[in-house]
Amino acid sequence: MKKTRFDAKGMACPLPVVKTRKLLGEYDVVETVVDNFIATQNLEKLAKQLGYEIEVIPVSDEEYITTITNKQALEPVKINALEGECPVPVAQVQRTLETEDSVEILLKEEDLEALKNFAQKHHNEIKIEKIKEGYKVLITKQEQNSEEKNQYALKDDSYIVVINKKIMGHGSEELGKKLIKSYLYALTEQELLPKKIIFYNEGAYLVDRQRSHVLDELAELEEGGVEILCCGACIDYHKIDLAVGNPTNMYFIVEDMRKANKILQP
């Protein structure tokens, strides 16, 4: 929930209303302090026009506190992963929380553990309710403390890494396996980590529980806040037992690559 306080005492009409309306475009709750009763009436008209709730508290004859709340913005975004095709509930939740404070998702039992791990990893509040068809889960973002914010600032969100082979380069497979391991290790040593690493085609072998030789490096990157993703179709085709990260699909891969300022491909 985004909230702000605005001191409009001494401002002539219609400035308290104009500035409050502008703030409501950025915040879910705006607390406006005015110095006359007429100003509260004008703010009540604004709230009614927008369909928002308003509370007026008279402090004195020269001070009134009005609180306008956009209740719709406070409602969590709802996702139904029980019906239709929602192959990656975790990815859906991840993207929703990039712009929203909370999300409520209906999902099957087999998807619950991955979502719990996601919430724990990102220090999000999670509430789980058993329903007839599966589970209803509410995930709410928590405020980061200053240490977490500083760690996040060290990441460069402007680049991602995509890997489509189980080796690096062309030629010797033995050398290529050593090179990709060295590359991922070197990546863990970078001051600026990528936002995401996306595996597809034969790159999917690198996240397989039995066939990967780079799980230690990937686990360290994930621990550092890097999101590890693997193409869902590639998981099915190569029969991957996912040991690290989460599945994604081609729509989200295209979206991630389109939004990235830089893409690295070893």
Side-chain angles (χ1 to χ4, degrees):
M1 178 180 69
K2 296 175 65 177
K3 180 178 179 179
T4 189
R5 182 181 176 93
F6 166 50
D7 189 350
K9 289 186 294 184
M11 292 186 178
C13 180
L15 284 179
V17 171
V18 171
K19 291 185 176 292
T20 298
R21 178 161 189 160
K22 184 176 180 180
L23 288 170
L24 285 167
E26 303 176 35
Y27 296 91
D28 306 318
V29 181
V30 176
E31 190 176 87
T32 303
V33 183
V34 294
D35 55 14
N36 63 86
F37 181 69
I38 298 298
T40 68
Q41 291 181 314
N42 291 333
L43 288 167
E44 285 179 343
K45 291 177 183 177
L46 170 66
K48 184 177 180 181
Q49 181 186 54
L50 296 174
Y52 295 173
E53 292 189 2
I54 184 169
E55 179 186 17
V56 179
I57 300 176
V59 179
S60 68
D61 290 341
E62 296 181 347
E63 184 175 348
Y64 300 81
I65 301 175
T66 67
T67 303
I68 298 179
T69 304
N70 179 0
K71 286 290 186 181
Q72 287 185 329
L74 301 182
E75 287 292 319
V77 174
K78 292 180 170 58
I79 299 173
N80 188 349
L82 294 171
E83 300 175 357
E85 293 191 8
C86 182
V88 281
V90 171
Q92 295 276 37
V93 168
Q94 167 83 16
R95 280 162 175 75
T96 301
L97 290 177
E98 288 177 359
T99 56
E100 304 293 337
D101 292 325
S102 61
V103 56
E104 180 184 282
I105 183 167
L106 306 180
L107 75 167
K108 301 172 184 176
E109 184 173 2
E110 55 262 34
D111 296 320
L112 182 61
E113 192 62 30
L115 198 60
K116 287 165 64 176
N117 292 338
F118 165 82
Q120 182 179 12
K121 173 186 169 184
H122 293 277
H123 308 291
N124 294 324
E125 179 184 344
I126 182 169
K127 295 180 180 179
I128 303 170
E129 178 184 343
K130 182 74 173 73
I131 59 176
K132 183 179 179 181
E133 302 86 354
Y135 289 88
K136 179 167 70 174
V137 180
L138 175 65
I139 296 182
T140 305
K141 285 196 295 190
Q142 300 297 297
E143 287 293 326
Q144 294 176 309
N145 60 38
S146 57
E147 181 180 350
E148 287 174 325
K149 287 180 179 179
N150 289 338
Q151 289 177 349
Y152 184 77
L154 292 178
K155 287 196 301 177
D156 180 5
D157 284 346
S158 68
Y159 81 98
I160 64 174
V161 176
V162 297
I163 299 177
N164 61 11
K165 296 186 297 182
K166 57 184 177 181
I167 65 172
M168 185 175 181
H170 302 278
S172 168
E173 183 170 346
E174 182 181 2
L175 176 59
K177 288 180 68 175
K178 291 180 180 179
L179 292 177
I180 194 65
K181 187 175 181 69
S182 296
Y183 177 88
L184 291 171
Y185 173 76
L187 204 57
T188 67
E189 296 295 307
Q190 298 301 303
E191 183 180 4
L192 300 178
L193 299 178
K195 182 178 182 181
K196 302 178 182 184
I197 302 179
I198 301 174
F199 295 89
Y200 56 92
N201 211 324
E202 287 194 347
Y205 285 112
L206 297 178
V207 293
D208 183 78
R209 194 174 306 277
Q210 301 298 327
R211 292 172 284 185
S212 174
H213 64 297
V214 295
L215 292 182
D216 289 343
E217 290 77 12
L218 294 180
E220 186 172 344
L221 285 164
E222 189 174 48
E223 182 67 24
V226 179
E227 186 178 3
I228 308 295
L229 298 169
C230 185
C231 161
C234 306
I235 291 174
D236 292 339
Y237 184 86
H238 292 297
K239 296 180 173 54
I240 300 297
D241 181 10
L242 199 64
V244 62
N246 291 296
T248 186
N249 59 34
M250 192 54 67
Y251 177 85
F252 289 141
I253 290 174
V254 171
E255 188 178 61
D256 287 335
M257 294 176 74
R258 176 179 62 82
K259 289 181 177 179
N261 290 331
K262 291 184 293 184
I263 299 174
L264 305 185
Q265 183 174 355

